[in-house]
Amino acid sequence: GEEVAQTPKHLVRGEGQKAKLYCAPIKGHSYVFWYQQVLKNEFKFLISFQNENVFDETGMPKERFSAKCLPNSPCSLEIQATKLEDSAVYFCASSQWLYEQYFGPGTRLTVT
Amino acid sequence: DQQVKQNSPSLSVQEGRISILNCDYTNSMFDYFLWYKKYPAEGPTFLISISSIKDKNEDGRFTVFLNKSAKHLSLHIVPSQPGDSAVYFCAAIRPGGSQGNLIFGKGTKLSVKP
C-alpha cells in the first residue's frame, strides 16, 4: 500500500497480559522501524528491520519485548507480561533507504 | 543527554506571516536532518529534509536552513496557514550510518491564528 498501516488503533491490557501490535509497511520499502512515544512528545527508538532481518535492536528492552518481520506478513511487536510503564503510543515507520521514514498512525497501548 | 533540542515548546503566529521553528543538535556526526509535522492522534508526517552537505532546501512554502558550524537548523513556513497548526518535530539520523534510526527533538507546537 501507499501508507503504513498499523493495527489495532487502541489496545487495552491488564498488567501481566500479552500485547501484540501489527504494522504493514509501504510496499517496496525495505526498512521498518518501531518507536515508542511516551511522556508527551518523547520518541524512543526500539528496533529496526531490513526486510525480515533485524537491522538494529539497540533500543529494544531485552526482557518482555520481541519483534518480527516475516515475508508476506505484517511486522509485529509483542510485549509479554505488560507493565504499567509500557503504556504509550507505538509507531511503526518504513523507508526505502535509511533516510526519510514514513510513519503509521500508531497504536495506543493502555496497561491497566 | 538530549542530542536534538527544540527549546521552544510553543509558537504562535498570525496567518500569512512567517513561522520560524528552531532546532539545535549536539552531535557533529549527524549527517541528515528531517522535519515532521504531527496532528493529535496521528502519526508524524514527513515534511522536508536536508543533508549535511547543503545549507538550504526548499519545498513550496517550507524551507529548511542548516548552519553546521552552529549546529543549528530552522524550518521556515511562508506564508503560514491555519492548517499548519500542529506539533513540529526536528529529527536527525543517528551517526554511524548503518543504523538509521531517527533521533527526535521534543517538538514545538505551532498555532497559526486566522
Side-chain angles (χ1 to χ4, degrees), chain B residues 63-89:
Chain B
T63 303
V64 55
F65 294 92
L66 175 62
N67 182 334
K68 283 180 63 180
S69 60
K71 295 192 185 70
H72 177 83
L73 61 155
S74 60
L75 174 68
H76 293 211
I77 307 173
V78 183
S80 302
Q81 299 173 353
D84 296 330
S85 297
V87 179
Y88 288 78
F89 290 93

PDB file of all heavy atoms in Angstrom, chain B residues 63-89:
ATOM      1  N   THR B  63      10.961  25.862   3.931  1.00  0.00           N
ATOM      2  CA  THR B  63      12.395  25.944   3.676  1.00  0.00           C
ATOM      3  C   THR B  63      13.125  25.548   4.948  1.00  0.00           C
ATOM      4  O   THR B  63      12.779  26.013   6.036  1.00  0.00           O
ATOM      5  CB  THR B  63      12.817  27.373   3.277  1.00  0.00           C
ATOM      6  OG1 THR B  63      12.070  27.774   2.129  1.00  0.00           O
ATOM      7  CG2 THR B  63      14.301  27.419   2.938  1.00  0.00           C
ATOM      8  N   VAL B  64      14.114  24.682   4.791  1.00  0.00           N
ATOM      9  CA  VAL B  64      14.939  24.322   5.938  1.00  0.00           C
ATOM     10  C   VAL B  64      16.337  24.880   5.704  1.00  0.00           C
ATOM     11  O   VAL B  64      16.889  24.785   4.615  1.00  0.00           O
ATOM     12  CB  VAL B  64      14.958  22.793   6.195  1.00  0.00           C
ATOM     13  CG1 VAL B  64      15.403  22.014   4.967  1.00  0.00           C
ATOM     14  CG2 VAL B  64      15.832  22.453   7.382  1.00  0.00           C
ATOM     15  N   PHE B  65      16.880  25.502   6.758  1.00  0.00           N
ATOM     16  CA  PHE B  65      18.226  26.066   6.727  1.00  0.00           C
ATOM     17  C   PHE B  65      19.087  25.288   7.720  1.00  0.00           C
ATOM     18  O   PHE B  65      18.644  24.986   8.835  1.00  0.00           O
ATOM     19  CB  PHE B  65      18.203  27.543   7.140  1.00  0.00           C
ATOM     20  CG  PHE B  65      17.472  28.427   6.175  1.00  0.00           C
ATOM     21  CD1 PHE B  65      16.115  28.696   6.355  1.00  0.00           C
ATOM     22  CD2 PHE B  65      18.122  28.997   5.095  1.00  0.00           C
ATOM     23  CE1 PHE B  65      15.421  29.517   5.475  1.00  0.00           C
ATOM     24  CE2 PHE B  65      17.442  29.825   4.206  1.00  0.00           C
ATOM     25  CZ  PHE B  65      16.088  30.079   4.398  1.00  0.00           C
ATOM     26  N   LEU B  66      20.315  24.996   7.313  1.00  0.00           N
ATOM     27  CA  LEU B  66      21.242  24.286   8.185  1.00  0.00           C
ATOM     28  C   LEU B  66      22.508  25.107   8.366  1.00  0.00           C
ATOM     29  O   LEU B  66      23.142  25.504   7.386  1.00  0.00           O
ATOM     30  CB  LEU B  66      21.589  22.916   7.600  1.00  0.00           C
ATOM     31  CG  LEU B  66      22.640  22.090   8.347  1.00  0.00           C
ATOM     32  CD1 LEU B  66      22.162  21.764   9.763  1.00  0.00           C
ATOM     33  CD2 LEU B  66      22.960  20.805   7.577  1.00  0.00           C
ATOM     34  N   ASN B  67      22.865  25.346   9.612  1.00  0.00           N
ATOM     35  CA  ASN B  67      24.119  26.027   9.951  1.00  0.00           C
ATOM     36  C   ASN B  67      24.968  25.033  10.733  1.00  0.00           C
ATOM     37  O   ASN B  67      24.804  24.848  11.937  1.00  0.00           O
ATOM     38  CB  ASN B  67      23.820  27.271  10.796  1.00  0.00           C
ATOM     39  CG  ASN B  67      25.076  28.064  11.134  1.00  0.00           C
ATOM     40  OD1 ASN B  67      26.173  27.506  11.176  1.00  0.00           O
ATOM     41  ND2 ASN B  67      24.926  29.342  11.375  1.00  0.00           N
ATOM     42  N   LYS B  68      25.865  24.359  10.015  1.00  0.00           N
ATOM     43  CA  LYS B  68      26.644  23.289  10.628  1.00  0.00           C
ATOM     44  C   LYS B  68      27.575  23.793  11.714  1.00  0.00           C
ATOM     45  O   LYS B  68      27.790  23.136  12.725  1.00  0.00           O
ATOM     46  CB  LYS B  68      27.443  22.536   9.565  1.00  0.00           C
ATOM     47  CG  LYS B  68      26.621  21.574   8.763  1.00  0.00           C
ATOM     48  CD  LYS B  68      27.462  20.853   7.741  1.00  0.00           C
ATOM     49  CE  LYS B  68      28.534  19.984   8.363  1.00  0.00           C
ATOM     50  NZ  LYS B  68      29.340  19.298   7.331  1.00  0.00           N
ATOM     51  N   SER B  69      28.170  24.958  11.494  1.00  0.00           N
ATOM     52  CA  SER B  69      29.128  25.468  12.486  1.00  0.00           C
ATOM     53  C   SER B  69      28.431  25.768  13.805  1.00  0.00           C
ATOM     54  O   SER B  69      29.007  25.609  14.875  1.00  0.00           O
ATOM     55  CB  SER B  69      29.845  26.709  11.958  1.00  0.00           C
ATOM     56  OG  SER B  69      28.905  27.732  11.684  1.00  0.00           O
ATOM     57  N   ALA B  70      27.178  26.194  13.727  1.00  0.00           N
ATOM     58  CA  ALA B  70      26.409  26.482  14.936  1.00  0.00           C
ATOM     59  C   ALA B  70      25.605  25.275  15.412  1.00  0.00           C
ATOM     60  O   ALA B  70      24.958  25.350  16.456  1.00  0.00           O
ATOM     61  CB  ALA B  70      25.467  27.665  14.694  1.00  0.00           C
ATOM     62  N   LYS B  71      25.623  24.212  14.645  1.00  0.00           N
ATOM     63  CA  LYS B  71      24.823  23.019  14.934  1.00  0.00           C
ATOM     64  C   LYS B  71      23.355  23.416  15.135  1.00  0.00           C
ATOM     65  O   LYS B  71      22.711  23.088  16.150  1.00  0.00           O
ATOM     66  CB  LYS B  71      25.339  22.268  16.165  1.00  0.00           C
ATOM     67  CG  LYS B  71      26.748  21.682  15.991  1.00  0.00           C
ATOM     68  CD  LYS B  71      27.056  20.705  17.124  1.00  0.00           C
ATOM     69  CE  LYS B  71      28.468  20.188  17.061  1.00  0.00           C
ATOM     70  NZ  LYS B  71      29.478  21.212  17.376  1.00  0.00           N
ATOM     71  N   HIS B  72      22.854  24.115  14.166  1.00  0.00           N
ATOM     72  CA  HIS B  72      21.514  24.690  14.257  1.00  0.00           C
ATOM     73  C   HIS B  72      20.790  24.539  12.928  1.00  0.00           C
ATOM     74  O   HIS B  72      21.381  24.730  11.860  1.00  0.00           O
ATOM     75  CB  HIS B  72      21.617  26.173  14.626  1.00  0.00           C
ATOM     76  CG  HIS B  72      20.309  26.882  14.676  1.00  0.00           C
ATOM     77  ND1 HIS B  72      19.476  26.849  15.780  1.00  0.00           N
ATOM     78  CD2 HIS B  72      19.663  27.635  13.741  1.00  0.00           C
ATOM     79  CE1 HIS B  72      18.387  27.550  15.529  1.00  0.00           C
ATOM     80  NE2 HIS B  72      18.475  28.040  14.305  1.00  0.00           N
ATOM     81  N   LEU B  73      19.517  24.174  13.011  1.00  0.00           N
ATOM     82  CA  LEU B  73      18.701  24.219  11.805  1.00  0.00           C
ATOM     83  C   LEU B  73      17.366  24.868  12.124  1.00  0.00           C
ATOM     84  O   LEU B  73      16.952  24.946  13.293  1.00  0.00           O
ATOM     85  CB  LEU B  73      18.504  22.844  11.167  1.00  0.00           C
ATOM     86  CG  LEU B  73      17.816  21.720  11.898  1.00  0.00           C
ATOM     87  CD1 LEU B  73      17.231  20.752  10.885  1.00  0.00           C
ATOM     88  CD2 LEU B  73      18.804  20.964  12.766  1.00  0.00           C
ATOM     89  N   SER B  74      16.748  25.385  11.073  1.00  0.00           N
ATOM     90  CA  SER B  74      15.466  26.045  11.264  1.00  0.00           C
ATOM     91  C   SER B  74      14.542  25.692  10.101  1.00  0.00           C
ATOM     92  O   SER B  74      14.996  25.400   8.982  1.00  0.00           O
ATOM     93  CB  SER B  74      15.635  27.559  11.385  1.00  0.00           C
ATOM     94  OG  SER B  74      16.224  28.097  10.226  1.00  0.00           O
ATOM     95  N   LEU B  75      13.271  25.720  10.400  1.00  0.00           N
ATOM     96  CA  LEU B  75      12.229  25.488   9.400  1.00  0.00           C
ATOM     97  C   LEU B  75      11.432  26.777   9.265  1.00  0.00           C
ATOM     98  O   LEU B  75      10.934  27.298  10.273  1.00  0.00           O
ATOM     99  CB  LEU B  75      11.309  24.349   9.843  1.00  0.00           C
ATOM    100  CG  LEU B  75      10.091  24.092   8.950  1.00  0.00           C
ATOM    101  CD1 LEU B  75      10.520  23.545   7.591  1.00  0.00           C
ATOM    102  CD2 LEU B  75       9.116  23.128   9.627  1.00  0.00           C
ATOM    103  N   HIS B  76      11.351  27.281   8.032  1.00  0.00           N
ATOM    104  CA  HIS B  76      10.576  28.478   7.755  1.00  0.00           C
ATOM    105  C   HIS B  76       9.324  28.086   6.983  1.00  0.00           C
ATOM    106  O   HIS B  76       9.420  27.347   5.985  1.00  0.00           O
ATOM    107  CB  HIS B  76      11.398  29.482   6.929  1.00  0.00           C
ATOM    108  CG  HIS B  76      12.548  30.060   7.679  1.00  0.00           C
ATOM    109  ND1 HIS B  76      13.017  31.332   7.442  1.00  0.00           N
ATOM    110  CD2 HIS B  76      13.328  29.550   8.676  1.00  0.00           C
ATOM    111  CE1 HIS B  76      14.037  31.594   8.244  1.00  0.00           C
ATOM    112  NE2 HIS B  76      14.239  30.528   8.998  1.00  0.00           N
ATOM    113  N   ILE B  77       8.193  28.596   7.418  1.00  0.00           N
ATOM    114  CA  ILE B  77       6.928  28.350   6.718  1.00  0.00           C
ATOM    115  C   ILE B  77       6.376  29.711   6.304  1.00  0.00           C
ATOM    116  O   ILE B  77       6.087  30.562   7.139  1.00  0.00           O
ATOM    117  CB  ILE B  77       5.903  27.635   7.627  1.00  0.00           C
ATOM    118  CG1 ILE B  77       6.510  26.361   8.235  1.00  0.00           C
ATOM    119  CG2 ILE B  77       4.649  27.292   6.841  1.00  0.00           C
ATOM    120  CD1 ILE B  77       5.617  25.688   9.279  1.00  0.00           C
ATOM    121  N   VAL B  78       6.282  29.903   4.978  1.00  0.00           N
ATOM    122  CA  VAL B  78       5.815  31.185   4.463  1.00  0.00           C
ATOM    123  C   VAL B  78       4.885  30.960   3.269  1.00  0.00           C
ATOM    124  O   VAL B  78       5.320  30.311   2.305  1.00  0.00           O
ATOM    125  CB  VAL B  78       6.997  32.079   4.001  1.00  0.00           C
ATOM    126  CG1 VAL B  78       6.489  33.429   3.530  1.00  0.00           C
ATOM    127  CG2 VAL B  78       8.025  32.249   5.090  1.00  0.00           C
ATOM    128  N   PRO B  79       3.680  31.516   3.256  1.00  0.00           N
ATOM    129  CA  PRO B  79       3.014  32.134   4.396  1.00  0.00           C
ATOM    130  C   PRO B  79       2.385  31.070   5.281  1.00  0.00           C
ATOM    131  O   PRO B  79       1.998  30.002   4.803  1.00  0.00           O
ATOM    132  CB  PRO B  79       1.929  32.978   3.718  1.00  0.00           C
ATOM    133  CG  PRO B  79       1.575  32.200   2.486  1.00  0.00           C
ATOM    134  CD  PRO B  79       2.859  31.524   2.041  1.00  0.00           C
ATOM    135  N   SER B  80       2.267  31.338   6.540  1.00  0.00           N
ATOM    136  CA  SER B  80       1.656  30.388   7.473  1.00  0.00           C
ATOM    137  C   SER B  80       0.143  30.359   7.257  1.00  0.00           C
ATOM    138  O   SER B  80      -0.485  31.389   6.979  1.00  0.00           O
ATOM    139  CB  SER B  80       1.951  30.797   8.918  1.00  0.00           C
ATOM    140  OG  SER B  80       3.343  30.855   9.136  1.00  0.00           O
ATOM    141  N   GLN B  81      -0.415  29.162   7.413  1.00  0.00           N
ATOM    142  CA  GLN B  81      -1.848  28.972   7.247  1.00  0.00           C
ATOM    143  C   GLN B  81      -2.411  28.285   8.489  1.00  0.00           C
ATOM    144  O   GLN B  81      -1.684  27.539   9.165  1.00  0.00           O
ATOM    145  CB  GLN B  81      -2.117  28.097   6.011  1.00  0.00           C
ATOM    146  CG  GLN B  81      -1.615  28.685   4.722  1.00  0.00           C
ATOM    147  CD  GLN B  81      -1.730  27.733   3.544  1.00  0.00           C
ATOM    148  OE1 GLN B  81      -2.067  26.570   3.697  1.00  0.00           O
ATOM    149  NE2 GLN B  81      -1.456  28.247   2.352  1.00  0.00           N
ATOM    150  N   PRO B  82      -3.685  28.486   8.805  1.00  0.00           N
ATOM    151  CA  PRO B  82      -4.270  27.831   9.991  1.00  0.00           C
ATOM    152  C   PRO B  82      -4.084  26.315   9.988  1.00  0.00           C
ATOM    153  O   PRO B  82      -3.882  25.710  11.037  1.00  0.00           O
ATOM    154  CB  PRO B  82      -5.739  28.230   9.907  1.00  0.00           C
ATOM    155  CG  PRO B  82      -5.735  29.543   9.214  1.00  0.00           C
ATOM    156  CD  PRO B  82      -4.623  29.441   8.189  1.00  0.00           C
ATOM    157  N   GLY B  83      -4.095  25.701   8.816  1.00  0.00           N
ATOM    158  CA  GLY B  83      -3.899  24.253   8.707  1.00  0.00           C
ATOM    159  C   GLY B  83      -2.495  23.798   9.082  1.00  0.00           C
ATOM    160  O   GLY B  83      -2.250  22.605   9.253  1.00  0.00           O
ATOM    161  N   ASP B  84      -1.580  24.754   9.221  1.00  0.00           N
ATOM    162  CA  ASP B  84      -0.213  24.417   9.640  1.00  0.00           C
ATOM    163  C   ASP B  84      -0.138  24.209  11.152  1.00  0.00           C
ATOM    164  O   ASP B  84       0.901  23.780  11.669  1.00  0.00           O
ATOM    165  CB  ASP B  84       0.765  25.530   9.255  1.00  0.00           C
ATOM    166  CG  ASP B  84       0.882  25.717   7.749  1.00  0.00           C
ATOM    167  OD1 ASP B  84       0.705  24.715   7.014  1.00  0.00           O
ATOM    168  OD2 ASP B  84       1.145  26.849   7.320  1.00  0.00           O
ATOM    169  N   SER B  85      -1.182  24.523  11.858  1.00  0.00           N
ATOM    170  CA  SER B  85      -1.191  24.361  13.317  1.00  0.00           C
ATOM    171  C   SER B  85      -1.027  22.887  13.664  1.00  0.00           C
ATOM    172  O   SER B  85      -1.867  22.058  13.304  1.00  0.00           O
ATOM    173  CB  SER B  85      -2.494  24.912  13.909  1.00  0.00           C
ATOM    174  OG  SER B  85      -2.612  26.292  13.681  1.00  0.00           O
ATOM    175  N   ALA B  86       0.051  22.573  14.341  1.00  0.00           N
ATOM    176  CA  ALA B  86       0.419  21.181  14.652  1.00  0.00           C
ATOM    177  C   ALA B  86       1.670  21.216  15.516  1.00  0.00           C
ATOM    178  O   ALA B  86       2.206  22.282  15.800  1.00  0.00           O
ATOM    179  CB  ALA B  86       0.688  20.402  13.364  1.00  0.00           C
ATOM    180  N   VAL B  87       2.139  20.037  15.909  1.00  0.00           N
ATOM    181  CA  VAL B  87       3.435  19.935  16.590  1.00  0.00           C
ATOM    182  C   VAL B  87       4.483  19.573  15.546  1.00  0.00           C
ATOM    183  O   VAL B  87       4.286  18.640  14.757  1.00  0.00           O
ATOM    184  CB  VAL B  87       3.405  18.889  17.715  1.00  0.00           C
ATOM    185  CG1 VAL B  87       4.781  18.793  18.383  1.00  0.00           C
ATOM    186  CG2 VAL B  87       2.345  19.242  18.750  1.00  0.00           C
ATOM    187  N   TYR B  88       5.573  20.302  15.535  1.00  0.00           N
ATOM    188  CA  TYR B  88       6.644  20.078  14.567  1.00  0.00           C
ATOM    189  C   TYR B  88       7.855  19.483  15.286  1.00  0.00           C
ATOM    190  O   TYR B  88       8.331  20.013  16.289  1.00  0.00           O
ATOM    191  CB  TYR B  88       7.033  21.397  13.884  1.00  0.00           C
ATOM    192  CG  TYR B  88       5.973  21.849  12.917  1.00  0.00           C
ATOM    193  CD1 TYR B  88       4.812  22.461  13.380  1.00  0.00           C
ATOM    194  CD2 TYR B  88       6.105  21.644  11.554  1.00  0.00           C
ATOM    195  CE1 TYR B  88       3.802  22.850  12.508  1.00  0.00           C
ATOM    196  CE2 TYR B  88       5.104  22.026  10.670  1.00  0.00           C
ATOM    197  CZ  TYR B  88       3.958  22.623  11.163  1.00  0.00           C
ATOM    198  OH  TYR B  88       2.959  22.999  10.296  1.00  0.00           O
ATOM    199  N   PHE B  89       8.336  18.378  14.734  1.00  0.00           N
ATOM    200  CA  PHE B  89       9.480  17.687  15.298  1.00  0.00           C
ATOM    201  C   PHE B  89      10.668  17.786  14.356  1.00  0.00           C
ATOM    202  O   PHE B  89      10.547  17.552  13.146  1.00  0.00           O
ATOM    203  CB  PHE B  89       9.167  16.203  15.517  1.00  0.00           C
ATOM    204  CG  PHE B  89       8.184  15.947  16.619  1.00  0.00           C
ATOM    205  CD1 PHE B  89       6.826  15.836  16.343  1.00  0.00           C
ATOM    206  CD2 PHE B  89       8.617  15.820  17.933  1.00  0.00           C
ATOM    207  CE1 PHE B  89       5.912  15.596  17.361  1.00  0.00           C
ATOM    208  CE2 PHE B  89       7.708  15.571  18.949  1.00  0.00           C
ATOM    209  CZ  PHE B  89       6.354  15.471  18.659  1.00  0.00           C
TER     210      PHE B  89
END
